[in-house]
Amino acid sequence: MQVVKSISHLRVLLDEPRRSGRTIGLVPTMGALHAGHVRLIERAREDCEFVAVSIFVNPLQFERKDDLERYPRDLETDLDVCRRADVDVVFTPSATELYPTPPLCVVDVRQLADHLCGRFRPGHFSGVATVVLKLFQIVLPDRSYFGEKDAQQLAVVRRLARDFNIPVTIIGVPTVRDPDGLALSSRNRRLTPSERARATALYKALCEARSHIAGGITDAEEVTRRARAAISPDATVRLEYLEVVDADMQPVTVISGPVIVAGAMWVGETRLIDNLGCIPPAADLEA
Ligand code: AMP
């Protein structure tokens, strides 16, 4: 496994697999790798002959400086994880390597960023789309792997590839969870034991929503009202949003087909997100 910091070195290294027609898979990450990231890498390993993982905490997608500074970083352990997962190359650029000067051109994400996290994190998806576009331009992957845990990010990346005619196949990978349902996240490392115990509240609320939808409630407002009630806010947890959206991340009022119920919840100083795909009974019959 090679570890590469510079764009020019990475391009030289990718030249040989590309010339020999090997399929190149890219897994973009911000590091502090966990079993969710490993699942993405495994998928890439199954599909592709050459697997690249990028580890870069992208300043452009953090709207809060303290969040960027507190984001967990553990490069040595991450490299061990990548080695064990049989990664071919890990790209670990510095911020000045990717942004030698503050960018004057960034990706403008439109309606896809109007709801869910986009509403609470202005500029976040522009930052995500910009860095993913740069990584695609640098690596020129055939396939790239993203987690369904970040459903809005996955939707943005799919549109990015389509709207900019990027010849890459985007693969969404199902969310990996702890046995009690908590979606794995690098941010979970910041939870104290008592916060960790409360952190499953979001998943439980999403499950509540899913069972109401499966049970035939079609009024999205009613579904979210009941699901919100499943979280008893206290000094530790505060729900930021819980919404029912379609595949384009637009709000749904009447549930008549497959939807995504997505939420964000603060647990102490840590913001967690999660979502579940839900199918109403009628759509289930049609499928
Ligand atoms: P991050 O390092 O948090 O930016 O995540 C890098 C990639 O891993 C993104 O595509 C995430 O959606 C994905 N990912 C993060 N957590 C999980 C998880 N629990 N299960 C599956 N994929 C995940």
Side-chain angles (χ1 to χ4, degrees), residues 28-31 34 36-37 40 71 145-150 153 173-176 183-186:
T29 81
M30 297 205 297
H34 51 66
H37 297 112
L40 265 59
Y71 197 84
Y145 297 80
F146 294 85
E148 289 176 358
K149 196 208 109 198
D150 299 279
Q153 169 173 287
V173 178
T175 304
V176 178
L184 298 189
S185 163
S186 304

mmCIF file of all heavy atoms in Angstrom, residues 28-31 34 36-37 40 71 145-150 153 173-176 183-186, ligand 1:
data_model
loop_
_atom_site.group_PDB
_atom_site.id
_atom_site.type_symbol
_atom_site.label_atom_id
_atom_site.label_comp_id
_atom_site.label_asym_id
_atom_site.label_seq_id
_atom_site.Cartn_x
_atom_site.Cartn_y
_atom_site.Cartn_z
ATOM 1 N N PRO A 28 -13.855 8.263 -0.869
ATOM 2 C CA PRO A 28 -13.475 9.494 -0.179
ATOM 3 C C PRO A 28 -13.895 9.451 1.293
ATOM 4 O O PRO A 28 -15.028 9.079 1.604
ATOM 5 C CB PRO A 28 -14.269 10.600 -0.911
ATOM 6 C CG PRO A 28 -14.824 9.953 -2.141
ATOM 7 C CD PRO A 28 -14.961 8.496 -1.800
ATOM 8 N N THR A 29 -12.996 9.817 2.189
ATOM 9 C CA THR A 29 -13.320 9.839 3.627
ATOM 10 C C THR A 29 -12.653 11.047 4.286
ATOM 11 O O THR A 29 -11.776 11.680 3.699
ATOM 12 C CB THR A 29 -12.809 8.587 4.381
ATOM 13 O OG1 THR A 29 -11.410 8.760 4.672
ATOM 14 C CG2 THR A 29 -13.012 7.303 3.602
ATOM 15 N N MET A 30 -13.094 11.282 5.523
ATOM 16 C CA MET A 30 -12.410 12.291 6.342
ATOM 17 C C MET A 30 -11.614 11.622 7.465
ATOM 18 O O MET A 30 -11.241 12.272 8.445
ATOM 19 C CB MET A 30 -13.425 13.284 6.915
ATOM 20 C CG MET A 30 -14.136 14.065 5.815
ATOM 21 S SD MET A 30 -14.755 15.655 6.368
ATOM 22 C CE MET A 30 -15.936 15.146 7.588
ATOM 23 N N GLY A 31 -11.380 10.311 7.335
ATOM 24 C CA GLY A 31 -10.551 9.624 8.318
ATOM 25 C C GLY A 31 -11.310 9.264 9.588
ATOM 26 O O GLY A 31 -12.538 9.274 9.609
ATOM 27 N N HIS A 34 -13.893 3.752 10.619
ATOM 28 C CA HIS A 34 -14.618 2.765 11.413
ATOM 29 C C HIS A 34 -15.195 1.712 10.451
ATOM 30 O O HIS A 34 -14.956 1.779 9.226
ATOM 31 C CB HIS A 34 -15.718 3.447 12.241
ATOM 32 C CG HIS A 34 -16.617 4.350 11.440
ATOM 33 N ND1 HIS A 34 -17.469 3.876 10.467
ATOM 34 C CD2 HIS A 34 -16.779 5.706 11.455
ATOM 35 C CE1 HIS A 34 -18.134 4.883 9.937
ATOM 36 N NE2 HIS A 34 -17.729 6.018 10.502
ATOM 37 N N GLY A 36 -17.975 1.313 9.141
ATOM 38 C CA GLY A 36 -18.771 1.845 8.024
ATOM 39 C C GLY A 36 -17.876 2.161 6.837
ATOM 40 O O GLY A 36 -18.169 1.800 5.691
ATOM 41 N N HIS A 37 -16.750 2.831 7.114
ATOM 42 C CA HIS A 37 -15.792 3.119 6.048
ATOM 43 C C HIS A 37 -15.257 1.807 5.453
ATOM 44 O O HIS A 37 -15.076 1.687 4.244
ATOM 45 C CB HIS A 37 -14.606 3.923 6.591
ATOM 46 C CG HIS A 37 -14.961 5.280 7.130
ATOM 47 N ND1 HIS A 37 -14.876 5.578 8.472
ATOM 48 C CD2 HIS A 37 -15.372 6.420 6.522
ATOM 49 C CE1 HIS A 37 -15.225 6.851 8.658
ATOM 50 N NE2 HIS A 37 -15.533 7.377 7.494
ATOM 51 N N LEU A 40 -17.389 0.320 2.880
ATOM 52 C CA LEU A 40 -17.240 0.996 1.581
ATOM 53 C C LEU A 40 -15.997 0.471 0.842
ATOM 54 O O LEU A 40 -16.033 0.192 -0.361
ATOM 55 C CB LEU A 40 -17.089 2.514 1.786
ATOM 56 C CG LEU A 40 -18.331 3.400 1.688
ATOM 57 C CD1 LEU A 40 -19.400 3.002 2.695
ATOM 58 C CD2 LEU A 40 -17.978 4.871 1.895
ATOM 59 N N TYR A 71 -12.723 17.881 14.994
ATOM 60 C CA TYR A 71 -13.019 16.661 14.236
ATOM 61 C C TYR A 71 -11.932 15.614 14.532
ATOM 62 O O TYR A 71 -10.736 15.931 14.491
ATOM 63 C CB TYR A 71 -13.098 16.951 12.732
ATOM 64 C CG TYR A 71 -13.790 15.837 12.003
ATOM 65 C CD1 TYR A 71 -15.176 15.802 11.922
ATOM 66 C CD2 TYR A 71 -13.072 14.782 11.455
ATOM 67 C CE1 TYR A 71 -15.833 14.745 11.297
ATOM 68 C CE2 TYR A 71 -13.714 13.720 10.842
ATOM 69 C CZ TYR A 71 -15.089 13.715 10.769
ATOM 70 O OH TYR A 71 -15.729 12.657 10.165
ATOM 71 N N TYR A 145 -17.526 5.362 -4.024
ATOM 72 C CA TYR A 145 -18.389 4.732 -3.018
ATOM 73 C C TYR A 145 -18.732 5.715 -1.905
ATOM 74 O O TYR A 145 -17.836 6.351 -1.338
ATOM 75 C CB TYR A 145 -17.667 3.496 -2.449
ATOM 76 C CG TYR A 145 -17.449 2.467 -3.534
ATOM 77 C CD1 TYR A 145 -16.397 2.603 -4.449
ATOM 78 C CD2 TYR A 145 -18.334 1.419 -3.702
ATOM 79 C CE1 TYR A 145 -16.227 1.699 -5.487
ATOM 80 C CE2 TYR A 145 -18.162 0.494 -4.730
ATOM 81 C CZ TYR A 145 -17.122 0.651 -5.623
ATOM 82 O OH TYR A 145 -16.975 -0.237 -6.653
ATOM 83 N N PHE A 146 -20.032 5.819 -1.601
ATOM 84 C CA PHE A 146 -20.512 6.750 -0.581
ATOM 85 C C PHE A 146 -21.550 6.048 0.282
ATOM 86 O O PHE A 146 -22.302 5.194 -0.201
ATOM 87 C CB PHE A 146 -21.142 7.986 -1.244
ATOM 88 C CG PHE A 146 -20.129 8.820 -2.001
ATOM 89 C CD1 PHE A 146 -19.795 8.495 -3.309
ATOM 90 C CD2 PHE A 146 -19.497 9.891 -1.393
ATOM 91 C CE1 PHE A 146 -18.839 9.230 -4.009
ATOM 92 C CE2 PHE A 146 -18.540 10.639 -2.078
ATOM 93 C CZ PHE A 146 -18.212 10.307 -3.389
ATOM 94 N N GLY A 147 -21.617 6.435 1.559
ATOM 95 C CA GLY A 147 -22.544 5.794 2.487
ATOM 96 C C GLY A 147 -23.944 6.371 2.400
ATOM 97 O O GLY A 147 -24.126 7.588 2.271
ATOM 98 N N GLU A 148 -24.935 5.478 2.514
ATOM 99 C CA GLU A 148 -26.329 5.943 2.575
ATOM 100 C C GLU A 148 -26.594 6.668 3.880
ATOM 101 O O GLU A 148 -27.589 7.370 4.004
ATOM 102 C CB GLU A 148 -27.287 4.739 2.434
ATOM 103 C CG GLU A 148 -27.284 4.166 1.031
ATOM 104 C CD GLU A 148 -28.149 2.922 0.898
ATOM 105 O OE1 GLU A 148 -28.737 2.478 1.918
ATOM 106 O OE2 GLU A 148 -28.222 2.379 -0.220
ATOM 107 N N LYS A 149 -25.711 6.498 4.851
ATOM 108 C CA LYS A 149 -25.897 7.215 6.125
ATOM 109 C C LYS A 149 -25.991 8.714 5.884
ATOM 110 O O LYS A 149 -26.747 9.413 6.527
ATOM 111 C CB LYS A 149 -24.734 6.920 7.075
ATOM 112 C CG LYS A 149 -25.046 7.303 8.497
ATOM 113 C CD LYS A 149 -23.815 7.655 9.273
ATOM 114 C CE LYS A 149 -23.814 9.125 9.525
ATOM 115 N NZ LYS A 149 -22.559 9.679 9.884
ATOM 116 N N ASP A 150 -25.187 9.195 4.929
ATOM 117 C CA ASP A 150 -25.225 10.617 4.574
ATOM 118 C C ASP A 150 -26.067 10.748 3.299
ATOM 119 O O ASP A 150 -25.547 10.980 2.206
ATOM 120 C CB ASP A 150 -23.793 11.123 4.381
ATOM 121 C CG ASP A 150 -22.972 10.976 5.651
ATOM 122 O OD1 ASP A 150 -23.093 11.824 6.530
ATOM 123 O OD2 ASP A 150 -22.251 9.967 5.787
ATOM 124 N N GLN A 153 -25.855 13.907 1.198
ATOM 125 C CA GLN A 153 -24.553 13.964 0.527
ATOM 126 C C GLN A 153 -24.538 13.033 -0.687
ATOM 127 O O GLN A 153 -24.067 13.414 -1.773
ATOM 128 C CB GLN A 153 -23.464 13.561 1.512
ATOM 129 C CG GLN A 153 -22.106 13.318 0.895
ATOM 130 C CD GLN A 153 -21.046 13.088 1.936
ATOM 131 O OE1 GLN A 153 -20.628 14.013 2.617
ATOM 132 N NE2 GLN A 153 -20.610 11.854 2.099
ATOM 133 N N VAL A 173 -23.793 2.766 -0.394
ATOM 134 C CA VAL A 173 -23.579 1.580 0.454
ATOM 135 C C VAL A 173 -24.439 1.724 1.726
ATOM 136 O O VAL A 173 -24.409 2.781 2.372
ATOM 137 C CB VAL A 173 -22.081 1.447 0.813
ATOM 138 C CG1 VAL A 173 -21.839 0.254 1.728
ATOM 139 C CG2 VAL A 173 -21.239 1.329 -0.456
ATOM 140 N N PRO A 174 -25.205 0.659 2.065
ATOM 141 C CA PRO A 174 -26.083 0.741 3.251
ATOM 142 C C PRO A 174 -25.316 1.073 4.537
ATOM 143 O O PRO A 174 -24.133 0.744 4.689
ATOM 144 C CB PRO A 174 -26.703 -0.657 3.331
ATOM 145 C CG PRO A 174 -26.640 -1.185 1.936
ATOM 146 C CD PRO A 174 -25.379 -0.605 1.340
ATOM 147 N N THR A 175 -26.034 1.706 5.448
ATOM 148 C CA THR A 175 -25.447 2.174 6.718
ATOM 149 C C THR A 175 -25.047 1.010 7.624
ATOM 150 O O THR A 175 -25.842 0.088 7.838
ATOM 151 C CB THR A 175 -26.487 3.055 7.446
ATOM 152 O OG1 THR A 175 -26.856 4.110 6.560
ATOM 153 C CG2 THR A 175 -25.934 3.624 8.738
ATOM 154 N N VAL A 176 -23.846 1.094 8.154
ATOM 155 C CA VAL A 176 -23.390 0.104 9.134
ATOM 156 C C VAL A 176 -23.691 0.662 10.527
ATOM 157 O O VAL A 176 -23.415 1.832 10.812
ATOM 158 C CB VAL A 176 -21.879 -0.169 8.978
ATOM 159 C CG1 VAL A 176 -21.391 -1.154 10.037
ATOM 160 C CG2 VAL A 176 -21.580 -0.690 7.574
ATOM 161 N N ALA A 183 -25.973 4.462 14.180
ATOM 162 C CA ALA A 183 -25.169 4.480 12.949
ATOM 163 C C ALA A 183 -23.725 4.820 13.304
ATOM 164 O O ALA A 183 -23.474 5.779 14.050
ATOM 165 C CB ALA A 183 -25.739 5.520 11.982
ATOM 166 N N LEU A 184 -22.782 4.048 12.768
ATOM 167 C CA LEU A 184 -21.378 4.339 13.046
ATOM 168 C C LEU A 184 -21.031 5.694 12.438
ATOM 169 O O LEU A 184 -21.470 6.040 11.341
ATOM 170 C CB LEU A 184 -20.478 3.260 12.450
ATOM 171 C CG LEU A 184 -20.666 1.844 12.991
ATOM 172 C CD1 LEU A 184 -19.549 0.940 12.461
ATOM 173 C CD2 LEU A 184 -20.669 1.820 14.507
ATOM 174 N N SER A 185 -20.250 6.457 13.178
ATOM 175 C CA SER A 185 -19.822 7.778 12.723
ATOM 176 C C SER A 185 -18.516 8.111 13.431
ATOM 177 O O SER A 185 -18.331 7.743 14.600
ATOM 178 C CB SER A 185 -20.882 8.824 13.097
ATOM 179 O OG SER A 185 -20.337 10.129 13.032
ATOM 180 N N SER A 186 -17.640 8.807 12.722
ATOM 181 C CA SER A 186 -16.387 9.226 13.357
ATOM 182 C C SER A 186 -16.695 10.080 14.580
ATOM 183 O O SER A 186 -15.949 10.090 15.558
ATOM 184 C CB SER A 186 -15.541 10.030 12.375
ATOM 185 O OG SER A 186 -15.315 9.267 11.208
HETATM 186 P P1 AMP B 1 -16.822 10.606 6.475
HETATM 187 O O1 AMP B 1 -15.432 10.163 6.798
HETATM 188 O O2 AMP B 1 -17.715 10.723 7.673
HETATM 189 O O3 AMP B 1 -16.862 11.811 5.575
HETATM 190 O O4 AMP B 1 -17.465 9.429 5.641
HETATM 191 C C1 AMP B 1 -16.848 8.938 4.481
HETATM 192 C C2 AMP B 1 -17.815 8.029 3.772
HETATM 193 O O5 AMP B 1 -18.182 6.965 4.632
HETATM 194 C C3 AMP B 1 -19.109 8.751 3.376
HETATM 195 O O6 AMP B 1 -19.514 8.337 2.097
HETATM 196 C C4 AMP B 1 -20.073 8.307 4.447
HETATM 197 O O7 AMP B 1 -21.418 8.322 4.025
HETATM 198 C C5 AMP B 1 -19.596 6.881 4.697
HETATM 199 N N1 AMP B 1 -20.035 6.424 6.012
HETATM 200 C C6 AMP B 1 -19.893 7.072 7.190
HETATM 201 N N2 AMP B 1 -20.479 6.378 8.181
HETATM 202 C C7 AMP B 1 -21.014 5.261 7.620
HETATM 203 C C8 AMP B 1 -21.747 4.147 8.113
HETATM 204 N N3 AMP B 1 -22.070 4.031 9.389
HETATM 205 N N4 AMP B 1 -22.116 3.177 7.241
HETATM 206 C C9 AMP B 1 -21.804 3.281 5.916
HETATM 207 N N5 AMP B 1 -21.103 4.312 5.388
HETATM 208 C C10 AMP B 1 -20.714 5.295 6.216
#
